[in-house]
Amino acid sequence: MDLSNMSSADLRNLQEQVKRELKQRESQDLAKAREQILAIAQSVGVPLKDLVGGAAGTRAKTGSVVPRYRNPADASQLWTGRGRQPKWVKDWLEAGKDIAGLKV
């Protein structure tokens, strides 16, 4: 197939056809791989759940992080020390105060 003789519209059409075909083949490959994995697991008598270390597609639960800092002006405002600093922490630090003064 000589692409240099094709019009832009024909090339775009071909590109869309290739995208669709690739997507379909990836789905088929994935399904085939799943079938093979299940067949292997069944042939040795191992449940798939044991093979993947839990229920497939689930994430381990993580606990909530304990707050490490409290706003002295408003005790209901807490911060774990992770992520962006709240405005009250930034204001505290910009005033030249040490963050240790906010520790819970």
Side-chain angles (χ1 to χ4, degrees), residues 3-88:
L3 300 179
S4 61
N5 293 331
M6 294 179 75
S7 69
S8 295
D10 289 340
L11 286 171
R12 282 197 247 334
N13 186 24
L14 179 61
Q15 182 180 27
E16 288 303 315
Q17 289 175 5
V18 169
K19 283 181 185 180
R20 283 193 300 270
E21 184 65 26
L22 281 172
K23 190 172 183 176
Q24 181 181 0
R25 288 192 188 188
E26 287 171 355
S27 295
Q28 290 171 350
D29 291 345
L30 186 59
K32 186 176 179 181
R34 279 191 183 121
E35 289 174 11
Q36 290 174 347
I37 291 169
L38 285 171
I40 293 169
Q42 288 175 349
S43 71
V44 295
V46 177
L48 185 61
K49 184 170 80 171
D50 292 347
L51 219 121
V52 295
T58 59
R59 296 176 64 185
K61 290 186 179 180
T62 57
S64 61
V65 179
V66 178
R68 296 184 348 188
Y69 303 99
R70 175 177 286 131
N71 184 351
D74 182 359
S76 68
Q77 293 180 332
L78 302 171
W79 181 48
T80 62
R82 295 183 177 181
R84 292 179 51 181
Q85 292 178 339
K87 184 172 178 353
W88 56 269

